Amino acid sequence: MNVLKSVREGSVRLYFANHQAVWRVGDVAGIDRSLLAGALERYRLPTGTPVLLDDAMRPVEPVSSWFRSLALGRRDAKSMRAYAYTVLMLLGFLLARGADLRSATEMDILQFRQWRRADAEDTVGGTTWDRDAAAIVSLYKHLVRIGYVPSSPWRSSQGESLGSGFSTDVRVRHLELEEYLFFRDVGFGGLTPEAELDETFGGWRPHRNRAAVELALLTGMRAQEWSTLLLPELGLMARDRPRTADVDLAACAKQKRPRSVYVPAGGMELLDPYLMIERPEIVAKAQRTLRRRHRDLFVVHRLEADDTKVRGVLEGRTVTRSIKDMAPDLRRITVLENGDALEPLALFIGQGGKMLTASGWDRVRWRAWDRLKTWSAHRNAPQLPRRCWVYHDLRHTFALRLLIFLTREVLGDAERQQLPMSTLLDHMTSNPLLVVQRRLGHVLPSTTYRYIRYLKDPMREVDDAFREWTVADGASYVTIARHLLNLEENAHAAPR
């Protein structure tokens, strides 16, 4: 059905593909179950794919086919959802001007930008508009490719300037040592600023929350990466738990770019109180809920290939999946059939045995922030920032501390070897930065370069091992840095 007609008649509805919801429906009147299963398999859409349907439940084209191309191109569900709402707003804006996707001019698109940035009831900032602009550019590339329009409505050079024009080089917000300890132990852990148990603490699962924060700090993982980890990825299904771990990220990494993450002893050891005290209780209480949802889950019967693959029943089929290639939505419903119990494979779980969502972790963070403000007048409390800390600040802290240490190492080596200045500068501007770039998963070196300006910040000197940053004796930033340097050297060693 024509997209403009659907929008004009108000009959267009936006949906998102959800495999689990389909299976919960069960039988459909008039359709044999085997035929239904075959049709769903043949026309399967990745979970989260947007679909525009008219009042007869028919796909509205050509926008629905663009959504499908995004999904098959492995665009993540969060980006597709944002793109879908942007395009709906654009279609409504064009309709009010008597235009559509075919007839839209460069002026229509630029005036849509003006409306979003300055004239709408809820205006948006530069970062949000840049995402809108990316959606519009992507849509018109698809329309040109399928021959729906002969060309984009803007000049080729104008496509680059649809964005806000503002630099994305935002300020790197990082934590000092005393700020981090206050953030982790008082906000998330329910302690007082004097490191004593706060008997008035009414929070939930402080051991889990402290462990998550420590893991984020000591690995530099993004929130989606550490919050979606599965137990086998850290070697936690084995009888003898490893002291450290190396995690291969893929499907849960930003833009699904693979990289390896080193988890030091400090991050592993702070998991123990949660794994031994809180998690078993959560799993036990969740059994009735998990059994009731059994049909909607990915029920794993065994681990394979040194715990890097899982084999089990998903949507009525027996399948094998590589853990690193499992998307967050699949990880969220993955459980291990363990005798009489269903064991969620997600590392961090909440009520019902389910993996916490991004909004769930945000609620944890805001509760922690409220506690920090409550204790802010205490003599041991550091000065709080104006805005609430976010999990990404821990990633910035990891990157900056690691870069400081690696740079010191290079400078020390150069001084000991009495290297000429040109060689010294080569080391300073490439080796440490490239190590940090690879470990953070940055595509462009320029993303990592922004940390350089903070190397001379008046930050507290945490000499040698940065040992105070972890509660465990074994882990330190020296340990982390040297391990990563060894990985880099091994990865780039010339074959013999």
Side-chain angles (χ1 to χ4, degrees), residues 204-253:
W204 203 71
R205 308 306 178 191
H207 291 303
R208 179 199 63 190
N209 300 339
R210 288 179 74 232
V213 168
E214 185 88 341
L215 190 65
L217 174 82
L218 294 181
T219 63
M221 282 191 278
R222 298 179 177 90
Q224 177 171 271
E225 295 165 349
W226 58 257
S227 68
T228 58
L229 284 173
L230 301 186
L231 295 173
E233 292 180 291
L234 295 176
L236 297 176
M237 301 300 293
R239 178 173 300 178
D240 297 323
R241 293 179 180 175
R243 189 166 179 269
T244 64
D246 289 287
V247 180
D248 290 327
L249 296 177
C252 294

Side-chain angles (χ1 to χ4, degrees), residues 381-397:
Q383 182 175 349
L384 293 180
R386 288 185 301 141
R387 294 182 293 112
C388 177
W389 293 111
V390 297
Y391 295 115
H392 208 75
D393 296 333
L394 300 171
R395 177 172 162 86
H396 288 320
T397 305

Side-chain angles (χ1 to χ4, degrees), residues 228-400:
T228 58
L229 284 173
L230 301 186
L231 295 173
E233 292 180 291
L234 295 176
L236 297 176
M237 301 300 293
R239 178 173 300 178
D240 297 323
R241 293 179 180 175
R243 189 166 179 269
T244 64
D246 289 287
V247 180
D248 290 327
L249 296 177
C252 294
K254 186 175 181 180
Q255 297 181 10
K256 300 179 175 64
R257 289 191 292 267
R259 80 176 191 279
S260 177
V261 171
Y262 171 62
V263 183
M268 296 290 285
E269 289 185 21
L270 201 56
L271 287 170
D272 285 342
Y274 160 62
L275 294 174
M276 292 188 293
I277 300 172
E278 292 180 349
R279 197 177 189 280
E281 181 186 351
I282 300 174
V283 173
K285 290 182 177 180
Q287 287 306 301
R288 180 176 296 182
T289 301
L290 292 173
R291 287 294 179 189
R292 189 170 58 248
R293 298 177 56 234
H294 189 280
R295 188 179 178 185
D296 303 328
L297 303 174
F298 178 20
V299 181
V300 173
H301 296 142
R302 67 174 183 266
L303 300 173
E304 299 179 344
D306 294 330
D307 293 355
T308 62
K309 293 184 177 181
V310 290
R311 183 168 179 81
V313 177
L314 175 65
E315 298 176 1
R317 300 180 302 142
T318 299
V319 299
T320 301
R321 294 288 182 264
S322 172
I323 291 179
K324 69 178 181 180
D325 294 324
M326 291 170 59
D329 287 339
L330 180 57
R331 290 165 175 255
R332 191 162 285 116
I333 62 170
T334 301
V335 298
L336 177 67
E337 184 80 56
N338 187 12
D340 296 330
L342 291 175
E343 171 84 10
L345 283 188
L347 172 61
F348 297 118
I349 56 176
Q351 289 179 326
K354 295 185 294 185
M355 177 187 291
L356 268 70
T357 61
S359 59
W361 279 113
D362 267 344
R363 287 193 293 271
V364 172
R365 178 173 60 87
W366 281 107
R367 284 197 294 267
W369 180 247
D370 288 340
R371 277 187 53 77
L372 297 182
K373 290 192 293 184
T374 299
W375 285 102
S376 61
H378 192 277
R379 65 180 183 277
N380 291 345
Q383 182 175 349
L384 293 180
R386 288 185 301 141
R387 294 182 293 112
C388 177
W389 293 111
V390 297
Y391 295 115
H392 208 75
D393 296 333
L394 300 171
R395 177 172 162 86
H396 288 320
T397 305
F398 168 85
L400 187 58

Side-chain angles (χ1 to χ4, degrees), residues 46-111:
T47 296
T49 304
V51 182
L52 276 181
L53 299 179
D54 62 18
D55 53 1
M57 300 302 286
R58 295 171 299 188
V60 177
E61 295 293 0
V63 178
S64 288
S65 64
W66 171 60
F67 290 149
R68 188 166 188 266
S69 71
L70 289 177
L72 295 178
R74 305 199 70 187
R75 186 63 58 90
D76 65 272
K78 182 178 179 182
S79 294
M80 289 192 294
R81 178 178 289 270
Y83 280 17
Y85 289 120
T86 295
V87 170
L88 280 181
M89 283 187 287
L90 175 63
L91 293 174
F93 181 84
L94 293 176
L95 175 62
R97 298 170 64 86
D100 60 11
L101 293 175
R102 271 202 173 108
S103 64
T105 65
E106 180 180 71
M107 188 58 64
D108 290 325
I109 303 300
L110 294 180
Q111 289 187 336

Side-chain angles (χ1 to χ4, degrees), residues 57-211:
M57 300 302 286
R58 295 171 299 188
V60 177
E61 295 293 0
V63 178
S64 288
S65 64
W66 171 60
F67 290 149
R68 188 166 188 266
S69 71
L70 289 177
L72 295 178
R74 305 199 70 187
R75 186 63 58 90
D76 65 272
K78 182 178 179 182
S79 294
M80 289 192 294
R81 178 178 289 270
Y83 280 17
Y85 289 120
T86 295
V87 170
L88 280 181
M89 283 187 287
L90 175 63
L91 293 174
F93 181 84
L94 293 176
L95 175 62
R97 298 170 64 86
D100 60 11
L101 293 175
R102 271 202 173 108
S103 64
T105 65
E106 180 180 71
M107 188 58 64
D108 290 325
I109 303 300
L110 294 180
Q111 289 187 336
F112 176 67
R113 178 178 66 182
Q114 170 67 19
W115 175 74
R116 283 284 279 155
R117 296 297 313 277
D119 300 330
E121 181 177 348
D122 287 324
T123 56
V124 298
T127 300
T128 301
W129 168 252
D130 286 343
R131 185 199 62 203
D132 290 350
I136 296 170
V137 170
S138 176
L139 171 61
Y140 268 99
K141 283 183 178 179
H142 174 76
L143 299 182
V144 172
R145 186 166 57 248
I146 65 175
Y148 188 80
V149 296
S151 62
S152 300
W154 54 81
R155 294 162 291 175
S156 58
S157 60
Q158 185 67 24
E160 297 299 322
S161 62
L162 282 182
S164 63
F166 293 110
S167 170
T168 58
D169 185 20
V170 296
R171 182 180 184 274
V172 173
R173 196 165 73 146
H174 52 275
L175 286 77
E176 300 285 356
L177 174 57
E178 53 275 353
E179 290 173 329
Y180 169 67
L181 295 176
F182 189 62
F183 180 64
R184 184 195 68 190
D185 296 336
V186 177
F188 286 83
L191 300 181
T192 70
E194 295 174 332
E196 297 175 349
L197 182 64
D198 182 1
E199 296 182 358
T200 66
F201 176 62
W204 203 71
R205 308 306 178 191
H207 291 303
R208 179 199 63 190
N209 300 339
R210 288 179 74 232

Side-chain angles (χ1 to χ4, degrees), residues 454-465:
Y454 296 94
L455 292 181
K456 292 184 178 180
D457 269 10
M459 301 170 64
R460 178 179 296 278
E461 295 294 326
V462 186
D463 289 329
D464 298 328

